[in-house]
């Protein structure tokens, strides 16, 4: 993965920089790829460029490898496509694998729908913590690094990519936006009512895949259930500048 990110970063006249500044519980470096045209190496340079920063992370749950693969493909596409309209207005910061042991410590997947690789990484980090419940206490160095990154780079968009298994519904992809009560109303309603449904429509038109809000049927099949709207989840965190720039920040979770 490191070689891939390095090659992507160096492709086409140095549009990207690869950094390994975030540290995991085990002291391993977590690779971060910054794609910008012209390239930027620091948050100060990013701010000076006047472009919005999009921050995407995968594998916050080590077993959920789809996001890692998808983000690497996206980074490659952004770096190598001849015409890059996105980089005219945006800077992409990509962390494909938030837990560096994600593909090393493997186990068999759980859940009834084992439609995936024969072995996947463990859900927790090396401390045994579920990182997507650590956005309030910040007990893991991985999530402290995310918050530190957000404070420095001030991303306008935060994408957190997950994979689910064992879900039984008709949707290939599910998504969600911020739902915590402390989030600004206009941000919550824009993401929920406008942005995500529009993204879903475009996805269906382009690929035929259906998508909907994250969740599953209750056991009696009478309602659609999801996780709580509490700030310990990355999607609801205020860490990524939601309070500083209430109308600019969008938190999206793709599953
Ligand atoms: Zn997950």
């Amino acid at each position: 993965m490191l070689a891939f990110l390095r090659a992507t970063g160096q492709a086409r006249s140095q549009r990207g920089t690869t950094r390994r500044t975030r540290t995991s519980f085990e002291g391993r470096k977590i690779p971060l790829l910054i794609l910008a045209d012209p390239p930027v190496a620091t948050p100060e340079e990013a701010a000076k460029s006047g472009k919005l920063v999009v921050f995407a992370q995968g594998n916050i749950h080590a077993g959920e490898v789809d996001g890692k693969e998808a983000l690497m493909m996206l980074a490659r596409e952004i770096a190598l496509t001849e015409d890059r309209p996105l980089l005219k207005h945006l800077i992409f910061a990509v962390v494909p694998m938030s837990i560096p042991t994600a593909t090393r410590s493997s186990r068999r997947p759980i859940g009834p729908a084992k439609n995936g690789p024969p072995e996947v990484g463990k859900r927790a980090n090396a401390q045994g913590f579920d990182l997507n419940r650590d956005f309030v206490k910040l007990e893991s160095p991985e999530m402290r690094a995310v918050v530190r990154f957000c404070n420095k780079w001030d991303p306008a968009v935060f994408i957190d990519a997950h994979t689910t298994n064992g879900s039984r519904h008709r949707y290939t992809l599910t998504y969600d936006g911020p739902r915590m009560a402390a989030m600004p109303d206009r941000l919550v309603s824009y993401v929920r009512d406008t942005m995500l449904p529009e993204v879903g429509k475009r996805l269906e038109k382009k690929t035929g895949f259906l998508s909907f809000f994250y969740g599953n049927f209750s056991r009696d099949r009478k309602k659609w259930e999801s996780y709580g709207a509490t700030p310990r989840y990355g999607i609801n965190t205020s860490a990524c500048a939601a309070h500083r720039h209430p109308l600019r920040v969008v938190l999206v979770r793709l599953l």
Side-chain angles (χ1 to χ4, degrees), residues 16-136:
T17 18
T18 316
R19 300 152 60 99
R20 298 171 70 193
T21 53
R22 300 169 55 190
T23 309
S24 77
F25 180 67
E26 297 166 300
R28 289 162 176 270
K29 297 289 183 187
I30 301 170
L32 160 70
L33 176 67
I34 308 278
L35 288 169
D37 188 12
V40 297
T42 64
E44 292 75 27
E45 287 175 20
K48 225 171 143 187
S49 75
K51 294 175 182 176
L52 294 180
V53 175
V54 175
F55 172 43
Q57 67 172 19
N59 254 162
I60 188 176
H61 292 137
E64 302 175 5
V65 294
D66 302 46
K68 177 188 68 181
E69 304 295 330
L71 290 178
M72 288 164 72
M73 289 163 73
L74 176 67
R76 179 176 59 192
E77 203 166 304
I78 290 170
L80 297 183
T81 310
E82 204 53 57
D83 183 26
R84 281 164 302 275
L86 289 177
L87 291 186
K88 290 193 175 83
H89 307 288
L90 302 172
I91 291 170
F92 278 88
V94 183
V95 175
M97 194 159 72
S98 294
I99 301 182
T101 51
T103 45
R104 195 170 59 88
S105 53
S106 58
R107 63 163 170 72
R108 288 172 58 75
I110 53 166
K114 294 190 182 69
N115 183 17
E119 288 190 331
V120 297
K122 291 172 185 160
R123 181 177 173 90
N125 76 343
Q127 284 164 292
F129 288 160
D130 182 331
L131 299 188
N132 201 24
R133 306 292 183 273
D134 192 33
F135 278 87
V136 172

Side-chain angles (χ1 to χ4, degrees), residues 217-231:
F217 290 108
S218 59
R219 282 190 180 274
D220 61 7
R221 295 285 192 269
K222 286 188 175 159
K223 59 183 175 187
W224 186 256
E225 293 179 331
S226 189
Y227 56 95
T230 53

Side-chain angles (χ1 to χ4, degrees), residues 139-151:
E139 291 178 302
S140 63
E142 291 93 343
M143 292 308 98
R144 284 199 294 276
V146 169
V147 171
R148 211 164 32 237
F149 175 87
C150 288
N151 283 336

